Amino acid sequence: MAATITTFAASVVVRAPTTPFLQLSRNSFYALGIHNQLQIPATVQNLAWAYIEAFSRSGKLDTQVELMALVATSLYLAAWETWFKTSDNTTKPTFTVSFLLERADVNIVTLFEYLRLFKETVVLSDPLLQSIVKLQRKYCIDSALFHKFEKLYKQIFRDDVGKTENKGDATSPKRMRICWVLFILAKGVNVNSPLELIATYQLLLCVCDYVIKSTPSFLLNQPYDTTSAHDSLNPGDNLTLHTLCDQYGCVLSEVHTIKASHWDPFQSTLSFNFSSNMVDDVGVLTSRYYTDIVFRHMDIDERMFLHRSKFLLPPTGNTTPRIGGGGSSPIVNNCLSTPVKSALNNVCNELQRLLQTAGETPSETLLNYINVCGSKGVELIQQRLDVMRLQFVSALIAATGPDYRNLAEYRFNLAIRLYYRVMENMLKSEEDRLSTSDFSYLLNNDVFHTSLCACCVEVVMATYG
């Protein structure tokens, strides 16, 4: 095993080798001490050094390089590459990404910047590149959702406002920790088929709905104190979840789908009665379940967001460190709304409103056009849509996982609504232009229907994410 890794380390190459520039000796590399803190095997250390040497030969470095960031990046690459090369649990990394960031005193955004430079200069394996993309995707979703969650929490709950607990590094109100821990647990158990951003946000609303219903009314802001009391008397109404969807821009039917496919199954596996003693159960819940998830995948400990960890929060500066003599790269801290973004948001909102009111069957007007083609016109269209539905649902499940079946069906139903609506408007326009209502040639054309439906599916996926 060690011989295999040593051979691989010797084969590490750069894309465009030039004169070495990095003034870092092998002895000083080992003298940093981070290897001992993380209990890194010698084979992984040797591969990390090989990456640094290859990176040095690329000519990308200058005197302003952050040494610990460089070392942390090389150790991450070496540890994960060793794991992927051997496919053996005995070579699983001895540290999580969060632990690496803490020991190296490096922010995760800086780590990503150095990973980008390594990808540009050193030839990395496909599994390693995929793991980097997966880590970046997870962080981007987590960071965006936690930022949203902080605002959402203050608008819903009134307990512990302005007060925090100082147990260890915890600096968040108790119910904020409850919501976030339940959320990352529910999200973590579906790691084999991770949710995309919008579905993950919808899962967060399901968690908030659950915690709201388990919170005394006097600790809730309006209107949730009223909706919680209503749901306690009328459990089937789901007024709280309906209100959350209205206030935070989600489609209720889609949230119900996520609730049924992800939140309800997760909730049924919990062995705690949160409604009776939620606050005291959080510590047990965290240690028993989430810690196992972190060490199973060796990536980010999302509880660190609650601690406002300097290793996960984006840097406060407005530029990244200059690396490779290429000047500074601006970091946009505030996503300001531009005219184009506002216009796109308006279009998406209007389209969502239209699709919610449209029907999944042809209107009377459209049926009149179709019936001109013959008695089996509607039947042929339905058969074609059934085939395309099967193809779409199968493709989406293959790309995401079986948990997405209900969501895939719902998205295709929305596409059908748009398909019939667009087809009707097209035929009306053509009738006004040509003064005829006979479009048999067009409506009997398989390419026309397939292309129109495909376009509608693309529009729905772009609109809803």
Side-chain angles (χ1 to χ4, degrees):
M1 186 69 67
T4 302
I5 299 300
T6 302
T7 303
F8 177 73
S11 67
V12 173
V13 298
V14 295
R15 300 184 185 278
T18 57
T19 306
F21 192 87
L22 177 64
Q23 301 299 317
L24 174 66
S25 68
R26 192 183 185 103
N27 290 335
S28 60
F29 170 70
Y30 290 114
L32 292 172
I34 189 174
H35 318 84
N36 295 329
Q37 296 177 34
L38 300 176
Q39 300 180 342
I40 298 175
T43 52
V44 175
Q45 295 182 37
N46 293 336
L47 181 55
W49 176 250
Y51 278 128
I52 289 180
E53 284 187 316
F55 192 39
S56 173
R57 292 194 298 270
S58 71
K60 281 279 185 179
L61 299 173
D62 63 15
T63 56
Q64 296 188 27
V65 67
E66 294 184 28
L67 181 58
M68 289 306 294
L70 178 67
V71 172
T73 306
S74 67
L75 290 174
Y76 169 83
L77 294 173
W80 265 255
E81 185 67 89
T82 302
W83 190 14
F84 295 141
K85 284 288 182 181
T86 57
S87 301
D88 187 352
N89 279 336
T90 60
T91 60
K92 188 175 181 178
T94 57
F95 54 89
T96 65
V97 172
S98 297
F99 198 50
L100 174 65
L101 297 174
E102 290 177 335
R103 289 296 177 268
D105 194 21
V106 172
N107 183 275
I108 193 169
V109 177
T110 304
L111 176 70
F112 288 152
E113 176 65 15
Y114 278 80
L115 285 172
R116 179 186 64 79
L117 292 172
F118 268 93
K119 287 193 295 183
E120 292 176 353
T121 56
V122 181
V123 178
L124 305 176
S125 67
D126 288 340
L128 184 55
L129 292 172
Q130 292 171 9
S131 73
I132 294 173
V133 171
K134 184 178 179 181
L135 177 64
Q136 291 173 328
R137 178 184 181 276
K138 179 176 182 178
Y139 172 74
C140 288
I141 290 178
D142 286 346
S143 181
L145 285 180
F146 185 76
H147 180 71
K148 179 68 175 179
F149 170 65
E150 285 186 299
K151 298 179 179 179
L152 180 149
Y153 174 83
K154 293 177 182 178
Q155 294 168 357
I156 296 174
F157 299 95
R158 66 173 64 172
D159 61 323
D160 297 332
V161 174
K163 298 180 180 179
T164 57
E165 285 203 350
N166 294 314
K167 294 180 179 179
D169 290 331
T171 57
S172 300
K174 288 180 178 180
R175 277 184 172 74
M176 175 180 278
R177 298 206 309 277
I178 291 170
C179 288
W180 186 250
V181 171
L182 283 173
F183 167 64
I184 59 179
L185 273 171
K187 181 168 65 74
V189 297
N190 293 291
V191 72
N192 291 328
S193 54
L195 297 170
E196 36 92 5
L197 177 59
I198 293 179
T200 307
Y201 178 51
Q202 292 167 346
L203 177 63
L204 178 60
L205 292 187
C206 294
V207 176
C208 290
D209 169 64
Y210 176 72
V211 177
I212 288 171
K213 293 175 180 177
S214 304
T215 301
S217 296
F218 66 88
L219 293 177
L220 296 170
N221 292 319
Q222 278 283 0
Y224 300 103
D225 53 352
T226 303
T227 64
S228 177
H230 175 89
D231 285 339
S232 65
L233 299 175
N234 307 276
D237 288 356
N238 288 318
L239 182 59
T240 300
L241 188 59
H242 193 289
T243 305
L244 284 169
C245 292
D246 285 344
Q247 293 207 344
Y248 297 106
C250 286
V251 180
L252 181 62
S253 54
E254 288 202 352
V255 176
H256 274 304
T257 300
I258 293 296
K259 184 176 184 294
S261 62
H262 288 80
W263 172 247
D264 288 344
F266 166 75
Q267 183 185 340
S268 67
T269 64
L270 298 177
S271 58
F272 302 101
N273 183 8
F274 292 100
S275 60
S276 64
N277 200 10
M278 293 182 66
V279 173
D280 294 336
D281 285 339
V282 171
V284 180
L285 174 73
T286 301
S287 60
R288 182 174 299 182
Y289 293 102
Y290 187 71
T291 301
D292 292 339
I293 292 176
V294 173
F295 282 96
R296 191 183 313 151
H297 304 286
M298 310 304 289
D299 53 15
I300 302 171
D301 187 339
E302 295 152 297
R303 292 169 296 187
M304 294 171 65
F305 283 103
L306 289 171
H307 308 159
R308 279 44 173 204
S309 171
K310 68 176 183 178
F311 305 111
L312 291 188
L313 295 181
T316 55
N318 59 358
T319 58
T320 59
R322 189 168 66 88
I323 304 173
S328 11
S329 305
I331 296 181
V332 179
N333 290 321
N334 298 312
C335 298
L336 299 177
S337 180
T338 64
V340 173
K341 180 181 290 186
S342 297
L344 288 175
N345 288 337
N346 289 336
V347 170
C348 290
N349 291 335
E350 181 63 22
L351 182 59
Q352 290 181 13
R353 185 197 62 77
L354 182 149
L355 293 181
Q356 292 306 310
T357 58
E360 295 178 12
T361 57
S363 66
E364 288 296 327
T365 302
L366 183 56
L367 283 174
N368 292 333
Y369 288 120
I370 297 174
N371 289 335
V372 174
C373 306
S375 59
K376 293 187 177 181
V378 176
E379 181 182 346
L380 293 174
I381 289 176
Q382 187 60 51
Q383 290 175 356
R384 188 182 295 108
L385 290 176
D386 289 341
V387 172
M388 295 189 69
R389 177 193 296 275
L390 180 62
Q391 293 173 339
F392 171 77
V393 172
S394 300
L396 189 59
I397 289 176
T400 57
D403 292 335
Y404 273 83
R405 175 175 294 277
N406 291 337
L407 186 61
E409 293 278 1
Y410 178 73
R411 294 285 167 85
F412 193 81
N413 288 338
L414 292 178
I416 290 177
R417 296 180 185 185
L418 183 61
Y419 164 79
Y420 284 133
R421 188 68 173 262
V422 171
M423 187 191 307
E424 179 179 334
N425 289 335
M426 288 176 62
L427 296 178
K428 284 181 179 178
S429 297
E430 288 299 288
E431 182 179 16
D432 293 340
R433 187 174 68 89
L434 301 174
S435 300
T436 180
S437 59
D438 185 357
F439 300 103
S440 301
Y441 177 77
L442 181 65
L443 293 177
N444 286 324
N445 190 313
D446 183 72
V447 174
F448 165 73
H449 289 284
T450 303
S451 301
L452 179 58
C453 186
C455 290
C456 291
V457 169
E458 288 287 347
V459 170
V460 167
M461 296 301 291
T463 302
Y464 286 86

